[in-house]
Amino acid sequence: MARLPGYITHVALGFAKPDLVYKGDLDLSGTGLLFPFSGAVLKQAIVLLRQRNPATKVLVSVGGWNHFGWDNRNMAALALLVKDIGADGVDLDYETPDAGCIHTPRGTIACADDARSIAVLRDLRSVLPRPYAVTVAGWSVGAYGDGPYFAAEPRNGPFVGMMLALLRSPEAAGIDLVSVMAYDAGPTFRPDQAFRAYRALWKGPLALGFQVLPPENGGPRTSLEGIARLLAGLGDDPKAGAMLYAIGLTPPGPPGPDNPGYASFALAICASLNLADCAAPMP
């Protein structure tokens, strides 16, 4: 982490549990973070990264798949962890096994998780006010289901529209950036359309997400050419960017333009967004 290139603006450290146990002293054992080094080493890595790239923000990602303890969330412990390691805020990856989203007779979407997701964001901002950053990872189809994206594919399932209520709530004013997890949504899913659906809801910084590993449910593998094509389509959006999941992951099979590793992914994103210092090496 300390040697990441400067064109990376945010680094999210995943994944902390919503119901984490953290009492201080840089003890990560109850947090969900599974790094093969201590909290003291993590803190020092953040210090070294900032010395090289002062503008890079380091975030603790909370949630993710299989971390579903939102009802027992411990935002005070999360805030203490952020402050102890010297991070800049939190990336909220609100995921549940079933968001309970349904199409209502009025042609809108309602989700069983709506009230809880909003409460999670409210509680997080209450313990980490600005200037701490709060970013949100949005489910692939989370902005589908009504308006011009009522019939966007895939249109069925318990996660379609799960971000609508959150991004329309007053609490959304506490968000600094949204990244779209535009992957693992099946062969009919179009990442560019998902980005536009989120843009219709969210006017702030918005990142189109790519994943290094192949999709788990039949969607196409993203090539270097595909990265360039997708990001070129966002060129007229001054607040558009990209998110990569995740540094350090290696896809199966021989590496190449149609099966890029994380370093090739990062370079292609940097070049496609016309960022500076793309030649800086990725560790």
Side-chain angles (χ1 to χ4, degrees), residues 95-170:
E95 299 188 34
T96 69
D98 185 343
C101 298
I102 60 171
H103 291 272
T104 72
R106 294 174 296 169
T108 59
I109 289 284
C111 304
D113 272 359
D114 283 346
R116 184 171 61 180
S117 65
I118 293 170
V120 167
L121 176 58
R122 183 190 309 122
D123 292 349
L124 177 57
R125 257 307 177 205
S126 71
V127 296
L128 286 174
R130 289 189 172 102
Y132 285 102
V134 169
T135 66
V136 169
W139 195 268
S140 53
V141 294
Y144 287 172
D146 70 359
Y149 301 98
F150 175 82
E153 293 288 344
R155 60 177 301 183
N156 297 313
F159 302 105
V160 173
M162 69 174 291
M163 298 296 294
L164 294 173
L166 178 67
L167 292 178
R168 288 170 173 161
S169 70

Side-chain angles (χ1 to χ4, degrees), residues 254-281:
D258 294 326
N259 189 40
Y262 73 89
S264 297
F265 251 109
L267 176 58
I269 289 171
C270 183
S272 298
L273 294 175
N274 296 313
L275 304 179
D277 300 323
C278 293

Side-chain angles (χ1 to χ4, degrees), residues 40-259:
V41 171
L42 177 60
K43 181 174 184 175
Q44 183 60 20
I46 294 172
V47 170
L48 294 174
L49 174 62
R50 284 224 182 83
Q51 289 174 354
R52 298 180 71 246
N53 301 310
T56 300
K57 293 186 180 297
V58 179
L59 311 170
V60 175
S61 260
V62 60
W65 196 252
N66 284 331
H67 285 174
F68 303 142
W70 298 107
D71 287 333
N72 297 313
R73 57 190 177 272
N74 190 346
M75 294 306 186
L78 180 63
L80 179 60
L81 173 63
V82 167
K83 295 170 183 177
D84 278 1
I85 65 173
D88 298 286
V90 165
D91 177 58
L92 176 58
D93 189 353
Y94 181 83
E95 299 188 34
T96 69
D98 185 343
C101 298
I102 60 171
H103 291 272
T104 72
R106 294 174 296 169
T108 59
I109 289 284
C111 304
D113 272 359
D114 283 346
R116 184 171 61 180
S117 65
I118 293 170
V120 167
L121 176 58
R122 183 190 309 122
D123 292 349
L124 177 57
R125 257 307 177 205
S126 71
V127 296
L128 286 174
R130 289 189 172 102
Y132 285 102
V134 169
T135 66
V136 169
W139 195 268
S140 53
V141 294
Y144 287 172
D146 70 359
Y149 301 98
F150 175 82
E153 293 288 344
R155 60 177 301 183
N156 297 313
F159 302 105
V160 173
M162 69 174 291
M163 298 296 294
L164 294 173
L166 178 67
L167 292 178
R168 288 170 173 161
S169 70
E171 285 77 7
I175 301 172
D176 297 300
L177 178 150
V178 173
S179 56
V180 185
M181 296 184 288
Y183 38 79
D184 282 341
T188 63
F189 175 74
R190 290 175 46 195
D192 56 332
Q193 186 177 53
F195 182 93
R196 291 195 297 273
Y198 271 90
R199 176 51 80 214
L201 290 169
W202 169 253
K203 305 308 179 185
L206 182 64
L208 179 63
F210 299 91
Q211 70 170 348
V212 173
L213 297 182
E216 297 179 358
N217 55 1
R221 176 81 166 101
T222 303
S223 65
L224 296 182
E225 180 183 358
I227 294 170
R229 183 177 63 253
L230 284 167
L231 293 181
L234 312 182
D236 59 349
D237 188 330
K239 294 184 179 181
M243 176 268 285
L244 178 61
Y245 180 74
I247 292 172
L249 295 181
T250 302
D258 294 326
N259 189 40

